[in-house]
């Protein structure tokens, strides 16, 4: 349940065929980065399609506290930046609420400055490990104070001059990669990040677009070697944020499992580091047509037509995990309606998301009559085609643990299950997809 906000439970019930065309909100990862680089760069950045969710507002407030001007004019967000190297010391702790990406990337962005910045967040963020970002920042010369186990609240005091490092990212994490690169912006010389497994590359793309001298090279073992020259000039840009594939995933899976559905989702980001769920569902037999594939704002974008499908369980290749890391909760819901078993491995990172997602998914599935086996880094889901026996007839609620994606995933489950599905709280949905209930209702979903 939510800390400080009154929990708002909701119930989803078996719905008629979903129909219609929807536009989903802007990509969360790109929205955070657009505000950060816009706030840092010299001159004006105009952002269209920015996600207007709580996580992004936390980043916008942080950038204002660091000296940037952020405002909305019509549908466009206007950011006037301070110029690379010129962030100001914030007067109060930066409160990132539920936003892990905002918090970790800003730690990199401002941690190397020669002043002290304090980071706080909600109960979910305060449980999440920050050591993965604090370690490389310490190597760059940053003094770190944190609560036990490298957790929030964290205070960072940068050195007079930061050391450029060569850092091999020890886990598949775009946040860690990005934090080190952003720290490299205010560090003399070349900062190198070695990424053994490719993760979302929005930071690299956007840094190049703002004028940073950043190169990416393949190493002898297939690792990515990213080099950034520090203290270069960044110039404000016009950014068009495409729709978030991690949000599109909810109407998409809903349309697959609700019989007779036929929907179209417009303007979805199709960057290959983000499309693992679509590929996986297609392997399971999903009818997803990729329409109008195009490039917009330097990113691949397309419209998706999704029709209800008879899904079959598969073993999801472990190496695909980074390209669908936020989509496992909703994939588990699709798997619950598939014939046979779906095996998901390489899920250790799910334990440190907004909640321990692996245990939250398993508990929610079991509560709603779906057999599954949870192991430290894997999940096997035994499907019940047609949704027979799925749901909770007495209204017992799924525990969402302050996790927006757990809430949305289980509400999607209820749209095709025999019995309704209840979740204990929906307030956190506002962090990433504030219009979720309206968008789903517009397609014909029954969520109350
Ligand atoms: C994100 C990276 C991923 C993802 C998160 C957004 C980003 O986290 O789960 O929702 O924008 O860089 P990790 O870097 O921890 O895998």
């Amino acid at each position: 349940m939510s800390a400080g906000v009154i929990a708002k439970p909701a119930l989803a019930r078996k719905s008629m065929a979903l129909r219609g065309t929807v536009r989903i909100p802007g990509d969360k990862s790109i929205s955070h980065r657009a505000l950060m680089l816009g706030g840092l760069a010299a001159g004006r950045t105009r952002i269209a399609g920015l996600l207007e969710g709580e996580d992004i507002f936390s980043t916008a407030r942080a950038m204002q506290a660091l000296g940037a001007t952020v405002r909305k004019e019509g549908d466009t967000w206007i950011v006037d930046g301070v110029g690379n190297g010129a962030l100001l010391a914030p007067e109060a702790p930066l409160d990132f609420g539920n936003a892990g990406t905002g918090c970790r990337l800003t730690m990199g962005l401002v941690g190397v400055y020669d002043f002290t910045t304090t980071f706080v967040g909600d109960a979910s963020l305060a449980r999440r490990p920050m050591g993965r970002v604090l370690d490389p920042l310490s190597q760059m010369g940053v003094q770190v104070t944190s609560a036990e186990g490298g957790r929030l609240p964290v205070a960072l005091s940068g050195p007079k001059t930061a050391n450029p490092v060569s850092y091999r990212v020890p886990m598949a994490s775009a946040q860690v990669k990005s934090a080190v690169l952003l720290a490299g912006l205010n560090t003399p010389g070349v900062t190198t990040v070695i990424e053994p497994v490719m993760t979302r590359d929005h930071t690299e793309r956007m840094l190049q677009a703002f004028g940073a001298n950043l190169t990416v090279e393949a190493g002898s073992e297939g690792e990515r070697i990213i080099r950034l020259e520090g203290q270069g000039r960044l110039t404000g840009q016009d950014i068009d944020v495409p729709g978030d594939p991690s949000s599109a995933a909810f109407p998409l899976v809903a349309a697959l499992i609700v019989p007779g559905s036929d929907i179209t989702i417009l303007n979805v980001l199709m960057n290959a580091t983000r499309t693992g769920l679509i590929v996986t569902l297609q392997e399971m037999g999903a009818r997803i047509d990729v329409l109008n594939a195009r490039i917009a704002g330097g990113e691949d974008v397309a419209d998706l037509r999704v029709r209800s499908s008879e899904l079959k369980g598969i073993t999801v290749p472990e190496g695909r995990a980074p390209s669908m890391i936020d989509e496992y909760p909703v994939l588990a819901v699709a798997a619950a309606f598939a014939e046979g078993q779906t095996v998901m491995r390489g899920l250790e990172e799910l334990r440190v998301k907004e909640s321990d997602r692996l245990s939250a998914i398993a508990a929610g599935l079991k509560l709603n009559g779906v057999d599954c086996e949870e192991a430290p880094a894997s999940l096997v889901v035994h499907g019940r085609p047609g949704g027979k026996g799925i749901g909770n007839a007495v209204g017992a609620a799924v525990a969402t643990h302050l996790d927006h994606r757990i809430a949305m995933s289980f509400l999607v489950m209820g749209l095709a299950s025999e019995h309704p599905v209840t979740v204990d709280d929906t307030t956190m949905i506002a962090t990433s997809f504030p219009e979720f209930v309206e968008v789903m209702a517009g397609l014909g979903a029954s969520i109350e």
Side-chain angles (χ1 to χ4, degrees):
M1 296 217 295
S2 305
V5 186
I6 296 171
K8 208 167 144 217
L11 174 148
R13 61 175 85 249
K14 205 173 176 70
S15 300
M16 305 288 278
L18 304 180
R19 294 291 165 102
T21 297
V22 290
R23 195 170 263 282
I24 31 115
D27 187 69
K28 185 147 77 77
S29 295
I30 295 180
S31 295
H32 279 301
R33 288 159 173 81
L35 286 172
M36 286 178 197
L37 292 191
L40 185 65
R44 180 159 289 185
T45 289
R46 291 181 185 78
I47 312 169
L50 187 82
L51 166 63
E52 296 184 355
E54 291 301 328
D55 277 10
I56 300 305
F57 294 147
S58 296
T59 291
R61 283 191 292 268
M63 292 314 298
Q64 286 171 322
L66 296 170
T69 308
V70 182
R71 64 175 199 282
K72 194 175 180 190
E73 252 179 48
D75 289 337
T76 305
W77 286 81
I78 314 274
V79 185
D80 288 317
V82 294
N84 188 20
L87 291 173
L88 303 179
E91 282 169 9
L94 302 180
D95 185 348
F96 281 93
N98 196 248
T101 306
C103 185
R104 291 190 177 125
L105 268 58
T106 306
M107 284 179 170
L109 189 72
V110 71
V112 287
Y113 278 68
D114 183 16
F115 52 69
T116 300
T117 312
T118 303
F119 298 79
V120 298
D122 73 3
S124 154
L125 195 55
R127 281 193 295 267
R128 299 182 67 182
M130 297 297 157
R132 50 182 58 203
V133 170
L134 304 180
D135 290 346
L137 290 179
S138 307
Q139 291 178 24
M140 297 177 89
V142 178
Q143 303 272 350
V144 174
T145 352
S146 71
E148 214 183 309
R151 297 205 155 52
L152 297 183
V154 163
L156 301 179
S157 308
K160 280 262 170 289
T161 309
N163 307 317
V165 289
S166 175
Y167 191 72
R168 190 179 177 91
V169 184
M171 68 289 289
S173 171
Q175 292 180 358
V176 175
K177 164 179 67 178
S178 302
V180 178
L181 289 173
L182 295 176
L185 287 174
N186 192 40
T187 302
V190 175
T191 294
T192 306
V193 177
I194 300 163
E195 188 178 46
V197 184
M198 185 171 182
T199 60
R200 65 193 70 196
D201 62 352
H202 310 303
T203 302
E204 296 92 301
R205 287 175 186 241
M206 209 181 281
L207 280 169
Q208 286 173 331
F210 274 79
N213 184 359
L214 179 145
T215 58
V216 184
E217 198 192 315
S220 57
E221 277 150 28
E223 72 276 25
R224 292 175 81 234
I225 304 170
I226 309 160
R227 293 191 181 87
L228 171 78
E229 197 182 306
Q231 301 186 323
R233 186 180 161 84
L234 301 178
T235 312
Q237 299 294 311
D238 287 355
I239 298 174
D240 203 350
V241 183
D244 194 331
S246 301
S247 297
F250 301 107
L252 192 157
V253 168
L256 291 176
I257 62 176
V258 176
S261 298
D262 186 350
I263 70 165
T264 301
I265 310 171
L266 300 175
N267 196 39
V268 181
L269 172 68
M270 294 293 283
N271 178 314
T273 62
R274 302 288 300 281
T275 50
L277 177 75
I278 294 175
V279 176
T280 299
L281 289 169
Q282 285 172 328
E283 287 174 4
M284 293 172 76
R287 294 190 294 170
I288 303 171
D289 299 321
V290 177
L291 309 173
N292 301 321
R294 58 201 184 267
I295 307 245
E299 290 279 6
D300 289 313
V301 170
D303 305 328
L304 302 176
R305 180 179 179 198
V306 188
R307 283 172 283 175
S308 59
S309 307
E310 291 190 358
L311 301 175
K312 290 200 171 45
I314 61 162
T315 296
V316 183
E318 195 171 329
R320 198 179 285 160
S323 67
M324 52 182 295
I325 196 66
D326 292 337
E327 282 66 80
Y328 283 101
V330 79
L331 175 64
V333 168
F337 291 84
E339 189 190 315
Q341 62 175 31
T342 300
V343 181
M344 306 170 217
R345 300 201 183 100
L347 306 186
E348 56 280 358
E349 281 294 307
L350 291 195
R351 300 251 178 230
V352 291
K353 295 296 177 190
E354 285 82 332
S355 66
D356 173 346
R357 281 196 176 144
L358 202 38
S359 76
I361 296 167
L365 290 174
K366 287 177 190 158
L367 184 77
N368 288 290
V370 180
D371 290 336
C372 64
E373 287 107 43
E374 175 194 354
S378 68
L379 181 71
V380 179
V381 178
H382 301 273
R384 290 176 160 269
K388 226 177 154 14
I390 303 185
N392 192 295
V394 297
V398 174
T400 53
H401 302 287
L402 291 173
D403 190 329
H404 55 134
R405 299 200 200 282
I406 296 296
M408 289 186 276
S409 297
F410 281 97
L411 289 173
V412 165
M413 175 183 248
L415 303 178
S417 55
E418 183 178 354
H419 310 291
V421 172
T422 307
V423 301
D424 69 354
D425 186 22
T426 54
T427 54
M428 301 319 289
I429 293 175
T431 60
S432 68
F433 195 168
E435 324 70 342
F436 170 76
V437 173
E438 289 79 3
V439 165
M440 297 305 294
L443 293 170
S446 208
I447 300 177
E448 63 209 46

